[in-house]
Amino acid sequence: MLNFTFKNQTEILFGKGQLSEVSLRLPAKAKVLFLYGGGSIKKNGIYDKVNTALEGADVIEFQGVEPNPEFETLMKAVQVARENDVNFILAVGGGSVIDGAKFIAAAVNFEGDPWDILIKGAAFENPLPVGAVLTLPATGSESNGNSVVNRKETSQKRAFSSETVQPVFAVLDPEFTYSLPPRQVSNGVVDAFVHVIEQYLTYPVNAPLQDRFAEGILQTLVQEGPKALATPEDYDVRANVMWSATMALNGLIGKGVPQDWGTHMIGHELTALHGLDHAVTLAIVLPSLMFVQRDKKQEKILQLGERVFGIKEDDKDKAIDLTIKAVQDFFESMQIKTRLSDYDIEKSAIDGLVENLERNGLTALGEHGDIDLVKAREILTLAA
Ligand code: NZQ
Ligand code: ZN
């Protein structure tokens, strides 16, 4: 096992009615920026519930954070936060709103162009505290320090990470997910699945506890994910999916083990250039990445196949093929197609994707840093 430090500052408020706990956790003399997305919370009643929970506090709303949150929109929210001396951000939504809140939190007291936080990793001081009310289990953003921001103007999707902007609390009420459209249920399950894979499917370092944590989350997602589509108002199913997605990326399972993240980095370029949903990009890239990296990942692919998908096959090559197929079948069972052609993206688009990887300095991806532009092209070509 590799050395590590571990701390997760987010207080999880899990279950029915936990939103009422929020008011007890706001700073004294709170001036709250209530940040949300395109308005789904107004249709499903969460908006009213949040307002009730915030009764008595000084609240300013900012609506309109898009999926794949747009830099320009977030900068408008930064302006609102500055003008109103906001001292707390409450993000109500999925990963995009929560990621957006983290960026706003970092940018408010940043002197200079906040784009530098994303593009140059510029240091920032005195970020605002963030709280989260999660409505879409997927990214784990509710209890990690990551933020991914899109900028259409430059066709870039960039991330920064800091525990100083990690939510201090996160409300996880599974009932808030009943209103999710099937497409977002699927996205969430697949994103969480791939988060685990990025931290698990590398090479063994004799960390059996992390392996079992990871396999437990993967098995739960494989079992419960399709049920969330079939029986959307089953509380227990929703609760298990929600907790799995949080545990998939709150830092725990990745401690002391190598991590990959190649699928995510290549996937981000597909969103930046072609606007595909984040999870869709992962479902396209992962099976091909597994194929191209099959020798380096051999032991863990075999372990995944046997322990998560119950594959029993002595011939190693066959077992690897069956495991890749099982992953692909799982994505398809979640109603997400796994080829570029399924989304009308032609082979000729691969040049642009590889160029963007180069422009963003993503030329040595994966746990060995060996996914260079040649391999990235091979992966994308295989996914065509
Ligand atoms: O905009 P609203 O009205 O909120 O509607 C959203 C949006 O249209 C809707 N939705 C959310 N909760 C709902 C709901 N609709 C009905 N009922 C509900 N309860 O779902 C749509 C998608 O929301 P979004 O927040 O974009 O989805 P997701 O949570 O998948 O977040 C994706 C973003 O997170 C980033 C991705 O790159 C992408 O930008 N990621 C963040 C990570 C992190 N912070 O650690 C890691 C991930 O790998 C990922 O990169
Ligand atoms: Zn992801």
Side-chain angles (χ1 to χ4, degrees), residues 51-78:
N51 275 319
T52 306
L54 291 176
E55 230 160 44
D58 198 350
V59 179
I60 293 142
E61 282 182 28
F62 188 93
Q63 169 174 9
V65 179
E66 323 66 359
N68 306 309
E70 209 28 64
F71 175 73
E72 209 181 311
T73 308
L74 300 177
M75 286 308 294
K76 287 184 189 148
V78 168

Side-chain angles (χ1 to χ4, degrees), residues 41-247:
I41 61 167
K42 289 197 171 154
K43 293 193 197 117
N44 59 23
I46 297 173
Y47 174 82
D48 291 336
K49 288 184 180 143
V50 170
N51 275 319
T52 306
L54 291 176
E55 230 160 44
D58 198 350
V59 179
I60 293 142
E61 282 182 28
F62 188 93
Q63 169 174 9
V65 179
E66 323 66 359
N68 306 309
E70 209 28 64
F71 175 73
E72 209 181 311
T73 308
L74 300 177
M75 286 308 294
K76 287 184 189 148
V78 168
Q79 196 60 29
V80 171
R82 285 177 180 159
E83 280 165 6
N84 291 280
D85 288 324
V86 160
N87 62 9
F88 192 86
I89 305 177
L90 184 67
V92 183
S96 295
V97 176
I98 302 172
D99 282 8
K102 294 174 189 174
F103 176 73
I104 298 163
V108 162
N109 294 316
F110 187 79
E111 288 171 17
D113 181 358
W115 182 240
D116 285 349
I117 297 171
L118 291 151
I119 203 89
K120 294 184 185 159
F124 53 89
E125 283 172 9
N126 305 318
L128 298 180
V130 174
V133 177
L134 183 67
T135 64
L136 199 181
T139 62
S141 185
E142 65 280 6
S143 74
N144 68 41
N146 309 333
S147 167
V148 192
V149 174
N150 198 57
R151 193 168 190 181
K152 280 208 182 100
E153 201 189 334
T154 60
S155 301
Q156 279 172 301
K157 197 173 190 206
R158 300 294 299 242
F160 79 102
S161 188
S162 167
E163 68 173 19
T164 64
V165 295
Q166 180 169 331
V168 288
F169 63 77
V171 175
L172 272 61
D173 184 336
E175 289 186 337
F176 289 179
T177 69
Y178 288 176
S179 60
L180 281 168
R183 169 177 162 190
Q184 300 303 344
V185 175
S186 301
N187 281 348
V189 169
V190 167
D191 191 21
F193 180 92
V194 180
H195 291 159
V196 180
I197 291 286
E198 300 275 27
Q199 300 163 88
Y200 167 82
L201 205 69
T202 57
Y203 54 89
V205 290
N206 201 358
L209 180 61
Q210 283 92 326
D211 281 359
R212 294 293 187 186
F213 281 152
E215 288 153 4
I217 299 170
L218 293 172
Q219 276 172 329
T220 308
L221 289 166
V222 168
Q223 274 168 32
E224 304 299 303
K227 290 188 207 163
L229 286 174
T231 52
E233 301 212 354
D234 183 324
Y235 181 85
D236 291 329
V237 168
R238 295 296 199 168
N240 286 310
V241 168
M242 202 168 207
W243 188 224
S244 298
T246 297
M247 290 301 292

Side-chain angles (χ1 to χ4, degrees), residues 138-139 190-192 194-195 249 261 264 268 278-279 282:
T139 62
V190 167
D191 191 21
V194 180
H195 291 159
L249 199 51
W261 298 103
H264 268 71
H268 283 173
H278 172 63
L282 308 177

Side-chain angles (χ1 to χ4, degrees), residues 133-375:
V133 177
L134 183 67
T135 64
L136 199 181
T139 62
S141 185
E142 65 280 6
S143 74
N144 68 41
N146 309 333
S147 167
V148 192
V149 174
N150 198 57
R151 193 168 190 181
K152 280 208 182 100
E153 201 189 334
T154 60
S155 301
Q156 279 172 301
K157 197 173 190 206
R158 300 294 299 242
F160 79 102
S161 188
S162 167
E163 68 173 19
T164 64
V165 295
Q166 180 169 331
V168 288
F169 63 77
V171 175
L172 272 61
D173 184 336
E175 289 186 337
F176 289 179
T177 69
Y178 288 176
S179 60
L180 281 168
R183 169 177 162 190
Q184 300 303 344
V185 175
S186 301
N187 281 348
V189 169
V190 167
D191 191 21
F193 180 92
V194 180
H195 291 159
V196 180
I197 291 286
E198 300 275 27
Q199 300 163 88
Y200 167 82
L201 205 69
T202 57
Y203 54 89
V205 290
N206 201 358
L209 180 61
Q210 283 92 326
D211 281 359
R212 294 293 187 186
F213 281 152
E215 288 153 4
I217 299 170
L218 293 172
Q219 276 172 329
T220 308
L221 289 166
V222 168
Q223 274 168 32
E224 304 299 303
K227 290 188 207 163
L229 286 174
T231 52
E233 301 212 354
D234 183 324
Y235 181 85
D236 291 329
V237 168
R238 295 296 199 168
N240 286 310
V241 168
M242 202 168 207
W243 188 224
S244 298
T246 297
M247 290 301 292
L249 199 51
N250 68 356
L252 179 69
I253 66 168
K255 290 299 162 191
V257 295
Q259 303 193 12
D260 180 340
W261 298 103
T263 297
H264 268 71
M265 294 303 121
I266 298 172
H268 283 173
E269 303 305 357
L270 276 165
T271 300
L273 288 176
H274 299 280
L276 295 188
D277 287 356
H278 172 63
V280 167
T281 71
L282 308 177
I284 293 170
V285 176
L286 178 64
S288 299
L289 184 142
M290 285 172 73
F291 191 88
V292 169
Q293 295 292 78
R294 60 190 292 146
D295 293 337
K296 299 241 161 105
K297 289 183 184 291
Q298 171 172 306
E299 285 179 70
K300 290 307 268 300
I301 296 180
L302 293 171
Q303 189 174 316
L304 170 75
E306 192 182 327
R307 293 191 185 173
V308 175
F309 293 106
I311 291 166
K312 291 190 179 18
E313 167 61 62
D314 291 337
D315 182 307
K316 286 185 179 167
D317 249 356
K318 269 193 203 151
I320 290 172
D321 286 338
L322 287 172
T323 305
I324 296 172
K325 171 90 173 39
V327 168
Q328 211 155 13
D329 287 350
F330 170 59
F331 295 157
E332 302 262 353
S333 80
M334 290 305 302
Q335 317 292 338
I336 297 193
K337 299 217 172 297
T338 55
R339 306 222 148 260
L340 288 172
S341 55
D342 293 322
Y343 303 92
D344 297 327
I345 297 175
E346 312 271 338
K347 262 193 180 167
S348 56
I350 292 173
D351 284 344
L353 293 161
V354 173
E355 274 163 29
N356 236 27
L357 283 169
E358 186 170 23
R359 181 156 70 105
N360 287 320
L362 301 171
T363 55
L365 301 173
E367 66 272 21
H368 303 288
D370 65 338
I371 303 180
D372 55 12
L373 297 177
V374 174
K375 267 198 183 174

